[in-house]
Amino acid sequence: MPSTLTESTDPYCLRPGEAAELLRGHPWRRFVALGDSVVEGMCEPTPGYPDVQWADRVAAELAAARPGLAYRNLGRRGLRAHQVRADQLAPALAFEPDLALVVCGGNDAFHPAYDAAAVDAELTAMISALRGAGADVITVGMFDVSHSPAVPEPLRAGLAERMRRLSAHTARLAERLGTLHVHLTDHPLTADPSLYSSDGRHGSARSDAIATAETLRRLSTHSH
């Protein structure tokens, strides 16, 4: 990645004024985010890109378009899908959101014993409860972190298979349950090392900026 590239010149990021245009007149007033470290925010700083983490950035853009928007981020690092549901679903519902972001399963997929059906069941329970309470739900197929240079070569193929299985299963759930799905797994830059942090598990500020752009573009298809 050229050292002069910044969010304003990155062709995969938001253009100046694009967020306001995408979200103008959006209907949401209460936004809650559930999940693991991806939602809590663990991305590494990247020169030229905002340090505001992905979920918080989405909330900030929503609030800029609708001042007074209420936001709660329940994300906590290290949680598996069943822990996200056990710890976060009740407080999320109590918040009475009309928009919810649900991202988990990555910590499950990092383990060779990843049980896709079990993760699907947890995601289904959370999405169904939130949808039943009247909230629109955002789901995500994340960037394929197996491309991170920090992932040891012997582990790369197995991790790639599990991360892509998680993404494919989430996409099918999204279609069945009617979520606003953001598919990043096959993004043109998913194999670009600049998207990943040095810990081999998380993203960079560039990946969060790109994820923000893709999320707002997806929201715009439902907000007008």
Side-chain angles (χ1 to χ4, degrees):
M1 183 176 71
S3 60
T4 55
L5 197 63
T6 66
E7 183 180 27
S8 63
T9 59
D10 191 324
Y12 295 101
C13 291
L14 293 165
R15 303 275 62 78
E18 184 180 357
E21 180 64 29
L22 289 170
L23 297 177
R24 181 175 292 116
H26 79 73
W28 299 294
R29 298 175 181 274
R30 299 182 67 79
F31 174 41
V32 69
L34 301 76
D36 51 28
S37 57
V38 174
V39 171
E40 179 186 357
M42 293 285 289
C43 77
E44 276 188 346
T46 304
Y49 293 83
D51 285 337
V52 183
Q53 311 281 348
W54 169 48
D56 293 349
R57 172 78 180 275
V58 170
E61 300 290 4
L62 287 166
R66 182 181 280 277
L69 176 108
Y71 168 55
R72 188 170 182 195
N73 187 326
L74 300 169
R76 189 154 59 86
R77 68 195 72 180
L79 298 186
R80 296 199 182 191
H82 73 278
Q83 295 170 309
V84 173
R85 180 183 58 81
D87 295 351
Q88 299 175 22
L89 180 57
L93 292 169
F95 183 71
E96 299 184 342
D98 54 11
L99 180 65
L101 170 68
V102 179
V103 182
C104 60
N107 288 316
D108 300 80
F110 259 90
H111 293 267
Y114 163 55
D115 184 339
V119 172
D120 287 357
E122 300 296 347
L123 282 168
T124 297
M126 287 185 277
I127 294 166
S128 298
L130 290 159
R131 295 278 288 140
D136 292 316
V137 176
I138 306 165
T139 50
V140 183
M142 293 305 301
F143 293 111
D144 180 2
V145 74
S146 72
H147 291 291
S148 168
V151 174
E153 184 61 38
L155 304 180
R156 200 177 297 276
L159 179 59
E161 188 279 327
R162 295 190 301 276
M163 294 303 292
R164 287 187 167 274
R165 196 177 353 145
L166 171 63
S167 178
H169 277 237
T170 304
R172 285 197 292 270
L173 284 178
E175 184 174 4
R176 179 167 62 85
L177 299 173
T179 75
L180 301 168
H181 189 64
V182 182
H183 183 65
L184 301 173
T185 314
D186 294 314
H187 189 278
L189 293 184
T190 198
D192 191 311
S194 72
L195 264 57
Y196 303 103
S197 72
S198 59
D199 67 4
R201 296 182 72 92
H202 300 104
S204 67
R206 187 187 189 200
S207 75
D208 273 24
I210 293 170
T212 297
E214 295 297 325
T215 304
L216 298 194
R217 289 165 185 157
R218 182 66 184 91
L219 288 176
S220 74
T221 67
H222 192 71
S223 64
H224 298 112

